[in-house]
Amino acid sequence: MLKVTNLSVKYDLSDEYALKGVEFTVQSGERVAVIGANGAGKSTLLLVLTGVLSHDSGGIVIDDIVLEKKTMLELRKKLGMIFQNPDDQLFMPTVYEDIAFGPRNYGSPEAETEAKADEALSQLNISHLKRRLSHKLSGGEKRLVALASVLVMKPVLLLLDEPTSFLDPKARRRLIGVLDALPQTMIIATHDLDMALDLCGRVILLKEGHIHTDAPVNDALHNADLLEECGLELPLSLQKR
Amino acid sequence: MASLYHAAAGINRLEQLAMQDSPVHRLHPMAKLIVTFFYVVTIVSFPPEDISGIIPFLLYPAVMMPLSGTPYRPLLQRLMFALPFSLMGGISNLIAVRGVAFYIGSFVVSQGMVSFVSIMLKTLLSVFAVLILIASTSFVEISCQLTILRIPKIICLQLVMTYRYLSILISETASMLTAYSFRGPNQKGIKMKDMGSFAGRLILRSFDRAERVYQAMKCRGFNGIYYGRKHGGFRLSDGIFIALMTLLVIFLRFFNLSLFFGRLAG
């Protein structure tokens, strides 16, 4: 599904690499949590995978297509990126206009676009939000609409950047339930280690732009020393009270 | 600060109004755009001394507002933003143009006064017409119709994004101001010495936000062209609306209804 080889990224005007020699593969249907302290390179990794940020060296192959300029549009059809702040993702006035944005860009006729939007909304049980103004929604609703705006494209790979941030416990729980029911391959960059424990089978632990550990979720997230070494703590559910 | 929150809410209010359902809302956006354009151009084309000719044009907002279910208050509030500009122009005419236009009893009405009233009336009617359009048609739809009228797509997109960003920018400013005032509770507004860093910070935040929104757009296949909702063709009601309004506007432009009724009464 996804193969990343020797990936290095350096931001303009910076001497340090944001990502250095990153290599991993993700199988179809797998859910991988990308964790690490602030500035470890989690969000950068997701942005590079979408092609929004260009990489200095290395290669990315998604669904047998090499990520390069000429394949960018085709690849973005297969990818769904959920940004950390849903307000950045919902830029159209109404929920429907926002969800229709992607299909329209790919030339989908209006009737088909509306059918796809309805399907995505009902998949997440938020059909009642269709005609609402995007900026009037609650944090949890915004997150679900952002997810719908991506699912409408029927992506094979979902990239989620801190999906549970800004959410109250109930909305968080609901979102985890929704994500758990989705069949897509997922890469989730998160500080919410409990969610990683609930949703993912594998963890990639980033430290200062390189992969420190790539291990099954139970091995990595139960290891207090390993997490501490990378500036993290045990998930709350595993901490002794 | 509260006024900033009100301003953001005001923009949202217009968007909400545009989502209502009424006979005017159901009209094709292009029909409303054409009629509004024609109406505004006709009003502007009146010579400054022809106040009586302009007055019957009040009929348009008087009919369209109740028909579209648009409340007067929000539109009047927005009108207040436009009026000061024409007020400036009007006042300068009031001072500079001193010739006698006519007498009311022994009271001399100067040409400057007539011109002042004419400018204010033209502004009032033009802004009302545009506000009625925005309150009954979503801004995105208007932008899409402009694209069909061969206005460059990049300009239409800029319009949509600017309109969208306006409320975001206002709320960002409001939250920065809130944070600022909590740390200086006894002062009014922003100190001059902090103004530069405040504005700079706001610009940086706006850039960051714009960058993230652009990234989100690119991830969903955006390639510089915004594809809005494709409306069906014109219906009979749209054709009737355009024909009726165009004929009415032409009639009122060349036949002075006020004078006619005045003569009848006299």
Side-chain angles (χ1 to χ4, degrees), chain A residues 47 50 52 73 76 81 83 87-94 96-99 101-102 104-106 110 131 133 135-136 149, chain B residues 12 15-16 19 138 140 160-161 164 167-168 209 212-213 215-223 225-230:
Chain A
L47 287 176
T50 61
V52 165
L73 265 184
R76 282 184 186 150
M81 170 85 184
F83 285 74
D87 277 325
D88 296 338
Q89 193 149 3
L90 305 178
F91 40 80
M92 299 305 287
T94 66
Y96 173 69
E97 289 292 329
D98 240 309
I99 294 174
F101 183 82
R104 281 176 185 163
N105 279 333
Y106 286 99
E110 193 58 33
R131 300 286 167 207
L133 295 172
H135 60 271
K136 288 270 177 181
S149 73
Chain B
N12 301 340
E15 282 181 17
Q16 273 175 325
M19 288 170 64
S138 88
V140 176
V160 173
M161 295 313 286
R164 186 79 200 97
S167 54
I168 293 173
R209 192 81 186 257
R212 290 197 301 270
V213 170
Q215 286 173 348
M217 291 170 82
K218 281 213 295 191
C219 283
R220 281 150 73 190
F222 179 70
N223 59 356
I225 300 167
Y226 170 67
Y227 301 95
R229 177 192 285 264
K230 290 178 186 72

Short mmCIF file of all heavy atoms in Angstrom, two decimals, chain A residues 47 50 52 73 76 81 83 87-94 96-99 101-102 104-106 110 131 133 135-136 149, chain B residues 12 15-16 19 138 140 160-161 164 167-168 209 212-213 215-223 225-230:
data_model
loop_
_atom_site.label_atom_id
_atom_site.label_comp_id
_atom_site.label_asym_id
_atom_site.label_seq_id
_atom_site.Cartn_x
_atom_site.Cartn_y
_atom_site.Cartn_z
N LEU A 47 2.36 15.60 5.64
CA LEU A 47 2.30 16.57 4.53
C LEU A 47 3.17 16.12 3.35
O LEU A 47 2.81 16.34 2.20
CB LEU A 47 2.73 17.96 5.01
CG LEU A 47 1.73 18.69 5.91
CD1 LEU A 47 2.30 20.02 6.39
CD2 LEU A 47 0.40 18.94 5.20
N THR A 50 1.39 13.52 1.28
CA THR A 50 0.35 14.05 0.37
C THR A 50 0.96 14.81 -0.79
O THR A 50 0.25 15.19 -1.71
CB THR A 50 -0.59 15.03 1.11
OG1 THR A 50 0.20 16.12 1.58
CG2 THR A 50 -1.31 14.38 2.25
N VAL A 52 2.10 17.77 -0.55
CA VAL A 52 1.95 19.20 -0.28
C VAL A 52 3.32 19.80 0.05
O VAL A 52 3.65 20.90 -0.37
CB VAL A 52 0.94 19.44 0.87
CG1 VAL A 52 1.04 20.85 1.40
CG2 VAL A 52 -0.47 19.16 0.39
N LEU A 73 -1.93 14.67 -8.80
CA LEU A 73 -3.40 14.76 -8.79
C LEU A 73 -4.03 13.37 -8.66
O LEU A 73 -4.98 13.17 -7.90
CB LEU A 73 -3.92 15.44 -10.05
CG LEU A 73 -4.18 16.94 -9.96
CD1 LEU A 73 -4.78 17.45 -11.25
CD2 LEU A 73 -5.10 17.29 -8.79
N ARG A 76 -3.55 12.16 -5.08
CA ARG A 76 -4.36 12.85 -4.06
C ARG A 76 -5.80 12.35 -4.06
O ARG A 76 -6.51 12.50 -3.07
CB ARG A 76 -4.31 14.37 -4.28
CG ARG A 76 -3.01 14.93 -3.77
CD ARG A 76 -2.96 16.42 -3.87
NE ARG A 76 -1.63 16.89 -3.48
CZ ARG A 76 -1.06 17.97 -3.96
NH1 ARG A 76 -1.69 18.70 -4.86
NH2 ARG A 76 0.13 18.33 -3.55
N MET A 81 -6.58 13.40 3.62
CA MET A 81 -5.80 14.01 4.71
C MET A 81 -6.74 14.79 5.62
O MET A 81 -7.47 15.67 5.18
CB MET A 81 -4.75 14.94 4.10
CG MET A 81 -4.04 15.82 5.10
SD MET A 81 -2.64 14.98 5.87
CE MET A 81 -2.12 16.22 7.04
N PHE A 83 -6.72 17.38 8.58
CA PHE A 83 -5.81 18.31 9.24
C PHE A 83 -6.13 18.45 10.72
O PHE A 83 -7.24 18.16 11.17
CB PHE A 83 -5.87 19.67 8.55
CG PHE A 83 -5.16 19.67 7.23
CD1 PHE A 83 -5.73 19.05 6.13
CD2 PHE A 83 -3.92 20.27 7.08
CE1 PHE A 83 -5.07 19.01 4.91
CE2 PHE A 83 -3.26 20.24 5.86
CZ PHE A 83 -3.83 19.61 4.78
N ASP A 87 -11.03 23.78 11.24
CA ASP A 87 -11.33 25.09 10.66
C ASP A 87 -10.47 25.38 9.43
O ASP A 87 -10.84 26.17 8.57
CB ASP A 87 -11.14 26.20 11.69
CG ASP A 87 -12.36 26.35 12.56
OD1 ASP A 87 -13.48 26.14 12.05
OD2 ASP A 87 -12.21 26.64 13.76
N ASP A 88 -9.29 24.76 9.38
CA ASP A 88 -8.43 24.93 8.20
C ASP A 88 -8.97 24.14 7.02
O ASP A 88 -8.70 24.46 5.87
CB ASP A 88 -7.01 24.45 8.49
CG ASP A 88 -6.34 25.28 9.56
OD1 ASP A 88 -6.79 26.43 9.77
OD2 ASP A 88 -5.40 24.78 10.20
N GLN A 89 -9.71 23.09 7.33
CA GLN A 89 -10.16 22.19 6.28
C GLN A 89 -11.54 22.57 5.75
O GLN A 89 -11.87 22.28 4.61
CB GLN A 89 -10.22 20.76 6.85
CG GLN A 89 -10.37 19.72 5.80
CD GLN A 89 -9.71 18.42 6.20
OE1 GLN A 89 -9.19 18.29 7.30
NE2 GLN A 89 -9.73 17.44 5.33
N LEU A 90 -12.32 23.23 6.60
CA LEU A 90 -13.68 23.59 6.19
C LEU A 90 -13.67 25.06 5.78
O LEU A 90 -13.80 25.94 6.61
CB LEU A 90 -14.66 23.35 7.33
CG LEU A 90 -14.64 21.93 7.90
CD1 LEU A 90 -15.61 21.80 9.05
CD2 LEU A 90 -14.96 20.90 6.83
N PHE A 91 -13.50 25.31 4.50
CA PHE A 91 -13.35 26.70 4.06
C PHE A 91 -14.54 27.18 3.23
O PHE A 91 -14.59 28.32 2.83
CB PHE A 91 -12.06 26.88 3.26
CG PHE A 91 -11.78 25.74 2.33
CD1 PHE A 91 -12.40 25.66 1.12
CD2 PHE A 91 -10.89 24.74 2.70
CE1 PHE A 91 -12.16 24.60 0.28
CE2 PHE A 91 -10.64 23.67 1.86
CZ PHE A 91 -11.28 23.60 0.64
N MET A 92 -15.50 26.30 2.98
CA MET A 92 -16.68 26.73 2.21
C MET A 92 -17.80 27.10 3.20
O MET A 92 -17.78 26.67 4.34
CB MET A 92 -17.14 25.60 1.28
CG MET A 92 -16.10 25.18 0.26
SD MET A 92 -15.47 26.53 -0.74
CE MET A 92 -16.86 26.85 -1.79
N PRO A 93 -18.77 27.89 2.72
CA PRO A 93 -19.80 28.36 3.67
C PRO A 93 -20.65 27.24 4.29
O PRO A 93 -20.93 27.28 5.47
CB PRO A 93 -20.68 29.29 2.82
CG PRO A 93 -19.99 29.50 1.55
CD PRO A 93 -18.95 28.45 1.39
N THR A 94 -21.06 26.28 3.48
CA THR A 94 -21.94 25.24 4.04
C THR A 94 -21.25 23.88 4.03
O THR A 94 -20.29 23.66 3.29
CB THR A 94 -23.25 25.12 3.23
OG1 THR A 94 -22.93 24.64 1.93
CG2 THR A 94 -23.97 26.45 3.12
N TYR A 96 -22.41 21.10 2.85
CA TYR A 96 -22.51 20.43 1.55
C TYR A 96 -21.46 20.96 0.56
O TYR A 96 -20.79 20.19 -0.12
CB TYR A 96 -23.91 20.60 0.95
CG TYR A 96 -23.97 20.06 -0.45
CD1 TYR A 96 -23.87 18.70 -0.70
CD2 TYR A 96 -24.05 20.93 -1.54
CE1 TYR A 96 -23.86 18.20 -1.99
CE2 TYR A 96 -24.05 20.44 -2.84
CZ TYR A 96 -23.96 19.07 -3.06
OH TYR A 96 -23.93 18.58 -4.34
N GLU A 97 -21.31 22.30 0.52
CA GLU A 97 -20.34 22.89 -0.41
C GLU A 97 -18.93 22.38 -0.09
O GLU A 97 -18.13 22.16 -1.00
CB GLU A 97 -20.36 24.42 -0.30
CG GLU A 97 -21.61 25.07 -0.86
CD GLU A 97 -21.73 24.96 -2.37
OE1 GLU A 97 -20.69 24.94 -3.04
OE2 GLU A 97 -22.86 24.86 -2.86
N ASP A 98 -18.66 22.21 1.17
CA ASP A 98 -17.35 21.73 1.58
C ASP A 98 -17.11 20.29 1.13
O ASP A 98 -16.05 19.94 0.63
CB ASP A 98 -17.21 21.82 3.11
CG ASP A 98 -16.07 22.71 3.49
OD1 ASP A 98 -14.98 22.49 2.96
OD2 ASP A 98 -16.26 23.64 4.28
N ILE A 99 -18.14 19.47 1.34
CA ILE A 99 -17.98 18.06 0.97
C ILE A 99 -17.92 17.91 -0.55
O ILE A 99 -17.20 17.06 -1.08
CB ILE A 99 -19.14 17.23 1.58
CG1 ILE A 99 -19.00 17.26 3.11
CG2 ILE A 99 -19.10 15.79 1.10
CD1 ILE A 99 -20.12 16.61 3.85
N PHE A 101 -16.59 19.95 -2.59
CA PHE A 101 -15.40 20.61 -3.14
C PHE A 101 -14.47 19.61 -3.86
O PHE A 101 -14.05 19.86 -5.00
CB PHE A 101 -14.65 21.32 -2.01
CG PHE A 101 -13.44 22.08 -2.46
CD1 PHE A 101 -13.57 23.36 -2.98
CD2 PHE A 101 -12.17 21.53 -2.37
CE1 PHE A 101 -12.45 24.06 -3.40
CE2 PHE A 101 -11.06 22.23 -2.78
CZ PHE A 101 -11.19 23.50 -3.30
N GLY A 102 -14.17 18.50 -3.21
CA GLY A 102 -13.24 17.52 -3.77
C GLY A 102 -13.79 16.88 -5.05
O GLY A 102 -13.14 16.95 -6.11
N ARG A 104 -16.04 17.85 -7.11
CA ARG A 104 -16.16 18.83 -8.20
C ARG A 104 -14.80 19.09 -8.84
O ARG A 104 -14.70 19.26 -10.06
CB ARG A 104 -16.72 20.14 -7.67
CG ARG A 104 -18.23 20.11 -7.47
CD ARG A 104 -18.69 21.41 -6.85
NE ARG A 104 -20.10 21.40 -6.53
CZ ARG A 104 -20.66 22.26 -5.70
NH1 ARG A 104 -19.94 23.18 -5.09
NH2 ARG A 104 -21.96 22.21 -5.45
N ASN A 105 -13.76 19.11 -8.02
CA ASN A 105 -12.41 19.34 -8.57
C ASN A 105 -12.00 18.23 -9.53
O ASN A 105 -11.18 18.44 -10.41
CB ASN A 105 -11.38 19.43 -7.45
CG ASN A 105 -11.36 20.80 -6.81
OD1 ASN A 105 -11.70 21.78 -7.46
ND2 ASN A 105 -11.00 20.87 -5.56
N TYR A 106 -12.58 17.04 -9.31
CA TYR A 106 -12.24 15.92 -10.19
C TYR A 106 -13.31 15.72 -11.27
O TYR A 106 -13.41 14.66 -11.86
CB TYR A 106 -12.03 14.64 -9.37
CG TYR A 106 -10.71 14.68 -8.63
CD1 TYR A 106 -10.66 15.03 -7.28
CD2 TYR A 106 -9.51 14.41 -9.28
CE1 TYR A 106 -9.45 15.11 -6.60
CE2 TYR A 106 -8.30 14.48 -8.62
CZ TYR A 106 -8.27 14.82 -7.28
OH TYR A 106 -7.07 14.91 -6.63
N GLU A 110 -22.91 17.20 -10.97
CA GLU A 110 -23.54 17.67 -9.73
C GLU A 110 -24.39 16.59 -9.05
O GLU A 110 -24.33 16.41 -7.83
CB GLU A 110 -24.38 18.92 -10.02
CG GLU A 110 -24.82 19.67 -8.78
CD GLU A 110 -23.67 20.15 -7.89
OE1 GLU A 110 -22.59 20.48 -8.41
OE2 GLU A 110 -23.86 20.15 -6.66
N ARG A 131 -27.03 20.97 5.32
CA ARG A 131 -27.29 22.36 4.92
C ARG A 131 -26.81 23.38 5.95
O ARG A 131 -27.07 24.58 5.82
CB ARG A 131 -28.80 22.58 4.69
CG ARG A 131 -29.38 21.70 3.62
CD ARG A 131 -28.97 22.15 2.22
NE ARG A 131 -29.28 21.14 1.22
CZ ARG A 131 -28.63 20.98 0.10
NH1 ARG A 131 -27.61 21.77 -0.20
NH2 ARG A 131 -28.96 20.03 -0.76
N LEU A 133 -24.24 25.81 8.24
CA LEU A 133 -23.03 26.60 7.98
C LEU A 133 -21.85 25.94 8.69
O LEU A 133 -21.95 25.62 9.88
CB LEU A 133 -23.22 28.02 8.51
CG LEU A 133 -24.30 28.88 7.84
CD1 LEU A 133 -24.49 30.17 8.59
CD2 LEU A 133 -23.92 29.17 6.39
N HIS A 135 -18.98 26.97 9.84
CA HIS A 135 -18.34 27.59 11.00
C HIS A 135 -19.25 27.64 12.22
O HIS A 135 -18.84 28.07 13.29
CB HIS A 135 -17.83 28.98 10.64
CG HIS A 135 -18.90 29.89 10.18
ND1 HIS A 135 -19.27 29.98 8.86
CD2 HIS A 135 -19.72 30.71 10.85
CE1 HIS A 135 -20.25 30.83 8.74
NE2 HIS A 135 -20.55 31.30 9.93
N LYS A 136 -20.51 27.22 12.06
CA LYS A 136 -21.44 27.23 13.18
C LYS A 136 -21.48 25.88 13.89
O LYS A 136 -22.24 25.70 14.84
CB LYS A 136 -22.85 27.57 12.68
CG LYS A 136 -23.02 29.01 12.26
CD LYS A 136 -23.47 29.83 13.44
CE LYS A 136 -23.58 31.29 13.08
NZ LYS A 136 -23.98 32.08 14.22
N SER A 149 -15.68 15.11 4.25
CA SER A 149 -15.17 15.80 3.06
C SER A 149 -14.03 15.02 2.42
O SER A 149 -13.69 15.23 1.26
CB SER A 149 -14.72 17.22 3.42
OG SER A 149 -13.51 17.17 4.14
N ASN B 12 -21.78 36.35 9.12
CA ASN B 12 -22.44 35.04 9.16
C ASN B 12 -23.94 35.17 8.96
O ASN B 12 -24.58 34.31 8.37
CB ASN B 12 -22.18 34.37 10.51
CG ASN B 12 -20.71 34.18 10.76
OD1 ASN B 12 -19.93 34.20 9.81
ND2 ASN B 12 -20.33 34.02 12.01
N GLU B 15 -24.85 35.20 5.39
CA GLU B 15 -24.76 33.84 4.82
C GLU B 15 -25.99 33.03 5.20
O GLU B 15 -26.51 32.26 4.40
CB GLU B 15 -23.49 33.14 5.32
CG GLU B 15 -22.25 33.61 4.60
CD GLU B 15 -20.99 32.91 5.07
OE1 GLU B 15 -21.11 31.86 5.72
OE2 GLU B 15 -19.91 33.43 4.81
N GLN B 16 -26.43 33.22 6.45
CA GLN B 16 -27.62 32.49 6.89
C GLN B 16 -28.85 32.93 6.12
O GLN B 16 -29.67 32.10 5.72
CB GLN B 16 -27.84 32.73 8.39
CG GLN B 16 -27.06 31.74 9.25
CD GLN B 16 -27.19 32.06 10.71
OE1 GLN B 16 -27.26 33.22 11.09
NE2 GLN B 16 -27.22 31.04 11.52
N MET B 19 -29.32 31.36 2.83
CA MET B 19 -29.70 29.95 2.81
C MET B 19 -31.19 29.72 3.03
O MET B 19 -31.65 28.59 3.04
CB MET B 19 -28.91 29.19 3.88
CG MET B 19 -27.46 29.02 3.51
SD MET B 19 -26.53 28.41 4.90
CE MET B 19 -27.30 26.82 5.11
N SER B 138 -26.14 32.85 -2.23
CA SER B 138 -24.87 32.67 -1.52
C SER B 138 -23.73 33.29 -2.34
O SER B 138 -23.79 33.34 -3.58
CB SER B 138 -24.61 31.19 -1.26
OG SER B 138 -23.93 30.61 -2.34
N VAL B 140 -20.85 32.23 -2.94
CA VAL B 140 -20.19 31.27 -3.83
C VAL B 140 -20.95 31.20 -5.16
O VAL B 140 -20.36 31.16 -6.24
CB VAL B 140 -20.14 29.89 -3.16
CG1 VAL B 140 -19.56 28.85 -4.10
CG2 VAL B 140 -19.32 29.94 -1.89
N VAL B 160 -14.38 34.92 -3.41
CA VAL B 160 -14.95 33.92 -2.49
C VAL B 160 -14.07 33.76 -1.25
O VAL B 160 -14.55 33.77 -0.12
CB VAL B 160 -15.09 32.54 -3.20
CG1 VAL B 160 -15.51 31.46 -2.22
CG2 VAL B 160 -16.10 32.64 -4.31
N MET B 161 -12.76 33.64 -1.49
CA MET B 161 -11.85 33.39 -0.37
C MET B 161 -11.77 34.62 0.55
O MET B 161 -11.72 34.48 1.77
CB MET B 161 -10.45 33.02 -0.87
CG MET B 161 -10.38 31.71 -1.63
SD MET B 161 -11.21 30.33 -0.83
CE MET B 161 -10.11 29.93 0.50
N ARG B 164 -14.80 34.67 2.60
CA ARG B 164 -14.72 33.60 3.60
C ARG B 164 -13.74 33.98 4.73
O ARG B 164 -13.97 33.72 5.89
CB ARG B 164 -14.25 32.32 2.90
CG ARG B 164 -14.25 31.10 3.77
CD ARG B 164 -15.64 30.53 3.91
NE ARG B 164 -15.73 29.66 5.06
CZ ARG B 164 -16.19 30.06 6.24
NH1 ARG B 164 -16.56 31.29 6.44
NH2 ARG B 164 -16.26 29.21 7.24
N SER B 167 -14.51 36.85 7.96
CA SER B 167 -15.00 36.50 9.29
C SER B 167 -13.90 35.83 10.12
O SER B 167 -13.80 36.04 11.33
CB SER B 167 -16.24 35.62 9.22
OG SER B 167 -15.99 34.51 8.43
N ILE B 168 -13.06 35.02 9.44
CA ILE B 168 -11.96 34.36 10.16
C ILE B 168 -10.97 35.41 10.66
O ILE B 168 -10.54 35.38 11.82
CB ILE B 168 -11.23 33.34 9.25
CG1 ILE B 168 -12.17 32.18 8.94
CG2 ILE B 168 -9.96 32.83 9.90
CD1 ILE B 168 -11.63 31.19 7.93
N ARG B 209 -2.58 30.66 8.53
CA ARG B 209 -3.91 30.10 8.32
C ARG B 209 -4.18 29.88 6.84
O ARG B 209 -4.67 28.83 6.44
CB ARG B 209 -4.92 31.09 8.90
CG ARG B 209 -6.32 30.58 9.04
CD ARG B 209 -6.41 29.75 10.30
NE ARG B 209 -7.70 29.11 10.41
CZ ARG B 209 -8.65 29.55 11.22
NH1 ARG B 209 -8.46 30.60 11.97
NH2 ARG B 209 -9.79 28.90 11.29
N ARG B 212 -2.36 26.88 5.56
CA ARG B 212 -2.98 25.60 5.94
C ARG B 212 -4.26 25.34 5.13
O ARG B 212 -4.50 24.21 4.72
CB ARG B 212 -3.27 25.60 7.45
CG ARG B 212 -2.01 25.54 8.32
CD ARG B 212 -2.34 25.13 9.72
NE ARG B 212 -3.28 26.04 10.36
CZ ARG B 212 -2.93 27.12 11.06
NH1 ARG B 212 -1.65 27.40 11.21
NH2 ARG B 212 -3.83 27.89 11.61
N VAL B 213 -5.03 26.38 4.92
CA VAL B 213 -6.25 26.21 4.12
C VAL B 213 -5.88 25.80 2.69
O VAL B 213 -6.49 24.90 2.11
CB VAL B 213 -7.09 27.52 4.11
CG1 VAL B 213 -8.22 27.42 3.10
CG2 VAL B 213 -7.66 27.79 5.49
N GLN B 215 -3.22 24.22 1.74
CA GLN B 215 -2.78 22.82 1.76
C GLN B 215 -3.98 21.88 1.76
O GLN B 215 -4.01 20.88 1.04
CB GLN B 215 -1.92 22.57 3.00
CG GLN B 215 -0.54 23.18 2.90
CD GLN B 215 0.24 23.06 4.20
OE1 GLN B 215 -0.30 22.72 5.25
NE2 GLN B 215 1.52 23.35 4.15
N ALA B 216 -4.98 22.24 2.58
CA ALA B 216 -6.19 21.40 2.64
C ALA B 216 -6.89 21.38 1.28
O ALA B 216 -7.41 20.34 0.86
CB ALA B 216 -7.13 21.93 3.71
N MET B 217 -6.89 22.52 0.59
CA MET B 217 -7.53 22.58 -0.72
C MET B 217 -6.77 21.72 -1.73
O MET B 217 -7.36 20.97 -2.50
CB MET B 217 -7.58 24.04 -1.22
CG MET B 217 -8.54 24.90 -0.42
SD MET B 217 -8.38 26.64 -0.83
CE MET B 217 -9.35 26.73 -2.31
N LYS B 218 -5.43 21.82 -1.69
CA LYS B 218 -4.62 21.04 -2.63
C LYS B 218 -4.81 19.54 -2.42
O LYS B 218 -4.85 18.76 -3.36
CB LYS B 218 -3.14 21.40 -2.47
CG LYS B 218 -2.79 22.70 -3.16
CD LYS B 218 -1.39 22.72 -3.72
CE LYS B 218 -0.32 22.64 -2.66
NZ LYS B 218 1.02 22.93 -3.20
N CYS B 219 -4.94 19.15 -1.14
CA CYS B 219 -5.14 17.73 -0.83
C CYS B 219 -6.44 17.20 -1.41
O CYS B 219 -6.61 16.00 -1.54
CB CYS B 219 -5.15 17.51 0.68
SG CYS B 219 -3.52 17.54 1.38
N ARG B 220 -7.37 18.10 -1.69
CA ARG B 220 -8.64 17.65 -2.25
C ARG B 220 -8.75 18.02 -3.73
O ARG B 220 -9.82 18.29 -4.25
CB ARG B 220 -9.80 18.24 -1.45
CG ARG B 220 -9.99 17.44 -0.15
CD ARG B 220 -10.54 18.30 0.95
NE ARG B 220 -11.92 18.61 0.72
CZ ARG B 220 -12.60 19.50 1.43
NH1 ARG B 220 -12.00 20.15 2.42
NH2 ARG B 220 -13.85 19.73 1.20
N GLY B 221 -7.59 18.04 -4.39
CA GLY B 221 -7.57 18.15 -5.84
C GLY B 221 -7.68 19.55 -6.40
O GLY B 221 -7.87 19.72 -7.61
N PHE B 222 -7.55 20.58 -5.56
CA PHE B 222 -7.66 21.95 -6.06
C PHE B 222 -6.47 22.28 -6.95
O PHE B 222 -5.33 22.02 -6.59
CB PHE B 222 -7.71 22.92 -4.86
CG PHE B 222 -7.79 24.36 -5.27
CD1 PHE B 222 -8.94 24.86 -5.85
CD2 PHE B 222 -6.72 25.21 -5.08
CE1 PHE B 222 -9.02 26.20 -6.21
CE2 PHE B 222 -6.79 26.54 -5.44
CZ PHE B 222 -7.95 27.03 -6.01
N ASN B 223 -6.76 22.83 -8.14
CA ASN B 223 -5.66 23.18 -9.04
C ASN B 223 -5.79 24.62 -9.54
O ASN B 223 -5.43 24.94 -10.66
CB ASN B 223 -5.60 22.20 -10.22
CG ASN B 223 -6.88 22.20 -11.01
OD1 ASN B 223 -7.84 22.88 -10.64
ND2 ASN B 223 -6.93 21.46 -12.09
N ILE B 225 -8.65 26.38 -9.84
CA ILE B 225 -9.98 26.75 -10.35
C ILE B 225 -11.03 26.23 -9.38
O ILE B 225 -10.99 25.06 -8.99
CB ILE B 225 -10.22 26.13 -11.75
CG1 ILE B 225 -9.17 26.64 -12.73
CG2 ILE B 225 -11.62 26.49 -12.25
CD1 ILE B 225 -9.11 25.87 -14.01
N TYR B 226 -11.95 27.13 -9.01
CA TYR B 226 -13.01 26.68 -8.13
C TYR B 226 -14.23 26.29 -8.96
O TYR B 226 -14.70 27.07 -9.77
CB TYR B 226 -13.39 27.78 -7.12
CG TYR B 226 -14.63 27.41 -6.38
CD1 TYR B 226 -14.61 26.34 -5.49
CD2 TYR B 226 -15.83 28.06 -6.59
CE1 TYR B 226 -15.74 25.95 -4.83
CE2 TYR B 226 -16.98 27.68 -5.94
CZ TYR B 226 -16.92 26.62 -5.05
OH TYR B 226 -18.06 26.22 -4.42
N TYR B 227 -14.69 25.07 -8.76
CA TYR B 227 -15.87 24.60 -9.49
C TYR B 227 -17.07 24.65 -8.55
O TYR B 227 -17.17 23.84 -7.64
CB TYR B 227 -15.67 23.16 -9.97
CG TYR B 227 -14.49 23.00 -10.88
CD1 TYR B 227 -13.25 22.60 -10.37
CD2 TYR B 227 -14.58 23.28 -12.23
CE1 TYR B 227 -12.14 22.47 -11.20
CE2 TYR B 227 -13.49 23.14 -13.06
CZ TYR B 227 -12.27 22.74 -12.53
OH TYR B 227 -11.18 22.62 -13.35
N GLY B 228 -17.95 25.60 -8.78
CA GLY B 228 -19.12 25.73 -7.92
C GLY B 228 -20.26 24.84 -8.38
O GLY B 228 -20.11 24.07 -9.34
N ARG B 229 -21.37 24.96 -7.69
CA ARG B 229 -22.56 24.19 -8.04
C ARG B 229 -23.05 24.59 -9.44
O ARG B 229 -23.12 25.76 -9.77
CB ARG B 229 -23.66 24.49 -7.03
CG ARG B 229 -24.97 23.81 -7.31
CD ARG B 229 -26.03 24.41 -6.44
NE ARG B 229 -25.90 23.95 -5.07
CZ ARG B 229 -26.60 22.92 -4.58
NH1 ARG B 229 -27.47 22.31 -5.32
NH2 ARG B 229 -26.44 22.56 -3.33
N LYS B 230 -23.34 23.57 -10.24
CA LYS B 230 -23.85 23.86 -11.59
C LYS B 230 -25.37 23.95 -11.51
O LYS B 230 -26.03 22.97 -11.20
CB LYS B 230 -23.40 22.79 -12.57
CG LYS B 230 -21.91 22.84 -12.84
CD LYS B 230 -21.48 21.73 -13.77
CE LYS B 230 -19.98 21.72 -13.92
NZ LYS B 230 -19.26 21.26 -12.75
#
